């Protein structure tokens, strides 16, 4: 797993919402001493910028201009923050409304073009654990370290529901499940870079696995040992 400066180590972690990608990616990044790049947060930041500017979520020319002009950064550390033009927008981009808005802007090819370029530049700088929907198919298709996380929809909705409750957001489990399924359908059926994987990926079902098992399996696979927990990969 040694990486030269010319060949930074890239770990791609793709999958639908609620599979535990963000927590797993953060812990894998910390275990491998790599930056964590949450590409979903980047689509969310552009969706927020569009909503604030009153730009329709399917207005491609305006979204292109807005995404091209925006700067998006992540602060390092245990509690990473997302900065949009220098402003900490972490708390604004995690609402159910912003999830749906991000799913809409992520279907716009011009937005994807701008953000994929930015993600590639970030990854090439120091390597990274990148989480998203198209990391192993479009952003870094050449990396040998590709993981696709899955989980049953009910389990994913339950996790999102608990996250929202923990943040004090009033919500309803059936509504979260319906939105989870709607967002999956949108993300998997859009024309540009739909959520998908191929046999270059290692698929991990997280439904009945602890986060530690998932992280151990991924970090172990990347570093050439098999995970020590029951999530040891096939
Ligand atoms: O991972 P997330 O829920 O924060 O992502 C928000 C939306 O962004 C999601 O509905 C799909 C989109 N997305 C994408 O299209 N490509 C990525 N690499 C990451 C996210």
């Amino acid at each position: 797993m040694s990486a030269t400066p010319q060949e930074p180590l890239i770990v791609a972690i793709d999958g639908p919402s609620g599979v535990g990608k963000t927590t797993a990616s953060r812990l894998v990044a910390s275990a491998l001493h790599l930056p964590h790049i949450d590409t979903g947060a980047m689509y969310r930041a552009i969706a927020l910028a569009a909503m604030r500017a009153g730009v329709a979520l399917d207005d491609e020319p305006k979204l292109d201009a807005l995404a091209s002009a925006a700067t998006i950064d992540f602060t390092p550390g245990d509690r990473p923050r997302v900065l949009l033009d220098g402003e900490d927008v972490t708390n604004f981009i995690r609402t159910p409304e912003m999830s749906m808005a991000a799913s809409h802007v992520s279907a716009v090819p011009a937005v994807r073009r701008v953000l994929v370029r930015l993600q590639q530049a970030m990854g090439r700088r120091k390597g990274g654990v990148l989480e998203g929907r198209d990391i192993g198919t479009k952003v870094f298709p050449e990396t040998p370290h590709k993981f696709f996380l899955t989980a049953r929809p009910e389990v994913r909705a339950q996790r999102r529901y608990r996250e929202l409750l923990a943040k004090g957001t009033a919500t309803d489990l059936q509504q979260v499940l319906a939105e989870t399924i709607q967002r999956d359908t949108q993300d998997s059926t859009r024309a540009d870079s739909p959520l998908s994987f191929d046999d270059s990926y290692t698929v991990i079902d997280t439904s009945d696995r602890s986060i530690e098992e998932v992280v151990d399996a991924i970090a172990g696979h990347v570093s050439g040992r098999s995970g020590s927990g029951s999530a040891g990969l096939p």
Side-chain angles (χ1 to χ4, degrees):
M1 64 165 265
S2 67
T4 64
Q6 293 76 33
E7 262 182 59
L9 180 62
I10 299 288
V11 180
I13 302 185
D14 287 316
S17 58
V19 289
K21 279 196 314 286
T22 299
T23 310
S25 304
R26 190 172 295 157
L27 293 172
V28 169
S30 158
L32 299 175
H33 307 290
L34 290 171
H36 169 220
I37 302 171
D38 176 355
T39 65
M42 298 168 79
Y43 288 95
R44 288 171 183 267
I46 296 305
L48 178 68
M51 289 181 78
R52 282 177 169 179
V55 169
L57 301 178
D58 59 355
D59 184 336
E60 185 151 20
K62 284 197 181 146
L63 287 171
D64 188 5
L66 189 138
S68 303
T71 61
I72 302 173
D73 284 306
F74 297 100
T75 62
D78 287 348
R79 297 177 62 81
R81 315 298 295 173
V82 184
L83 306 180
L84 171 66
D85 298 326
E87 178 196 347
D88 181 354
V89 294
T90 316
N91 295 340
F92 301 127
I93 61 171
R94 297 278 164 210
T95 62
E97 185 192 15
M98 292 310 304
S99 297
M100 208 48 93
S103 178
H104 286 300
V105 298
S106 73
V108 176
V111 172
R112 302 203 71 82
R113 251 191 326 272
V114 172
L115 291 189
V116 166
R117 236 182 278 132
L118 185 55
Q119 291 153 15
Q120 290 170 332
M122 285 176 162
R124 283 188 192 121
R125 219 171 295 145
K126 294 185 188 160
V129 177
L130 286 88
E131 59 155 305
R133 305 290 191 286
D134 60 340
I135 308 303
T137 55
K138 285 276 153 54
V139 185
F140 285 106
E142 69 283 4
T143 181
H145 307 296
K146 301 184 191 182
F147 301 88
F148 195 89
L149 306 191
T150 62
R152 295 187 294 276
E154 298 71 26
V155 173
R156 298 194 281 119
Q158 184 67 249
R159 286 178 185 157
R160 271 272 184 265
Y161 176 67
R162 274 196 237 112
E163 271 170 27
L164 289 168
L165 282 190
K167 279 193 285 186
T169 309
T171 186
D172 168 78
L173 180 58
Q174 283 316 310
Q175 190 185 335
V176 177
L177 177 59
E179 284 176 3
T180 300
I181 292 170
Q182 186 190 340
R183 204 145 69 90
D184 285 354
T185 307
Q186 281 172 197
D187 296 344
S188 313
T189 56
R190 66 179 177 226
D192 188 352
S193 316
L195 172 67
S196 69
F197 64 94
D198 57 29
D199 57 12
S200 63
Y201 278 82
T202 298
V203 180
I204 305 176
D205 188 333
T206 69
S207 303
D208 303 311
R209 284 174 169 149
S210 70
I211 194 72
E212 290 78 16
E213 288 174 322
V214 174
V215 170
D216 189 46
I218 296 174
H221 204 261
V222 172
S223 56
R225 64 179 166 83
S226 54
S228 60
S230 60
L233 296 166

